[in-house]
Amino acid sequence: MTIRVALVDDEPLIRSGLAAVLSSEDDLLVVGEAGDGAEVLDLVGRSAPDVVLMDVRMPRVDGIAATRALVRAGSRARVLVLTTFANDDHVFEALAAGADGFLLKRSSPEEVLHGIRTVARGESLLFPDAVRELARRHVRAPDPVLGPGLLRLTAREQEVLRSMAEGLSNAEIAEQLVVGVETVRSHVAAVLAKTGARDRTQAVVLAYRSGFVAG
């Protein structure tokens, strides 16, 4: 299966470098590029990417606003934001807006390829220590509005959500809990349904914002 990728960054050199890395892979195809978040809705509408690599900081419309616009438009494209620094406060805002993970611009080609494939198959790309630090700075107090869905989770579903917040994949969670991967997928689906989270990244952000997982 070919993963269709769109590149959004205001620096042409960054876009060309990413395109060169992706073009060497048989399962990845660059289907479009844009230099600003203002162009994202049109780009996604025209090229139907599976994954959007999105710079979090752009001069006109940043990656946060562009991600939020994609979510509101009902886009099924997964968003992977690019940032210069792991402690960039814009990253947490982008995750809360609907991004599925983030990558540092200094990441190796192998890390970029791994990241794209990870979010394309529906998993998160989060770095637990960085997200925990960002949550600590952003979440001043638990938001009680976010709590009811979490209260409906079973003890095992709570374990799974905490493992998701640690950045573990389904396979890693299955190994940790000594269960099958399909069982973990069922638990993840239940977590998303009960919390109303769009995907596992949003479930993790909700867990931090509600105080379920301490920042």
Side-chain angles (χ1 to χ4, degrees):
M1 179 178 175
T2 300
I3 301 171
R4 299 167 60 84
V5 183
L7 307 176
V8 183
D9 196 296
D10 62 316
E11 297 184 39
L13 189 59
I14 296 290
R15 297 201 306 272
S16 63
L18 288 168
V21 169
L22 272 56
S23 66
S24 65
E25 301 296 309
D26 293 338
D27 63 331
L28 302 177
L29 176 66
V30 176
V31 295
E33 298 183 19
D36 191 83
E39 305 167 40
V40 167
L41 280 179
D42 180 60
L43 171 64
V44 170
R46 285 186 289 103
S47 60
D50 300 302
V51 177
V52 179
L53 277 183
M54 178 108 68
D55 187 8
V56 74
R57 289 177 180 265
M58 290 179 281
R60 292 173 56 210
V61 175
D62 63 24
I64 302 165
T67 298
R68 190 176 293 119
L70 283 176
V71 172
R72 287 176 178 168
S75 171
R76 298 178 63 85
R78 311 281 291 176
V79 177
L80 193 52
V81 294
L82 299 170
T83 180
T84 303
F85 305 107
N87 61 355
D88 186 343
D89 286 334
H90 282 64
V91 169
F92 193 83
E93 295 178 56
L95 295 175
D100 299 287
F102 66 96
L103 277 172
L104 297 179
K105 288 190 175 183
R106 64 174 181 270
S107 297
S108 68
E110 291 75 19
E111 289 169 330
V112 172
L113 298 174
H114 170 73
I116 292 171
R117 290 170 178 138
T118 296
V119 298
R121 64 174 176 259
E123 298 199 4
S124 307
L125 188 69
L126 301 174
F127 301 91
D129 291 343
V131 173
R132 192 174 296 114
E133 175 59 28
L134 290 169
R136 186 177 294 120
R137 297 208 299 262
H138 278 260
V139 181
R140 304 302 179 200
D143 187 342
V145 175
L146 303 174
L150 293 167
L151 295 175
R152 295 165 51 207
L153 299 180
T154 65
R156 180 45 62 93
E157 289 161 1
Q158 291 178 24
E159 283 184 276
V160 169
L161 179 53
R162 289 191 177 95
S163 295
M164 289 161 60
E166 291 173 10
L168 301 186
S169 67
N170 286 350
E172 290 167 331
I173 296 172
E175 183 177 356
Q176 182 182 69
L177 301 181
V178 195
V179 298
V181 174
E182 287 303 321
T183 298
V184 173
R185 288 198 182 102
S186 295
H187 288 318
V188 171
V191 169
L192 300 186
K194 290 180 180 180
T195 60
R198 186 173 72 99
D199 54 34
R200 59 193 295 141
T201 304
Q202 298 312 302
V204 170
V205 171
L206 182 150
Y208 276 108
R209 292 176 63 198
S210 66
F212 178 81
V213 173

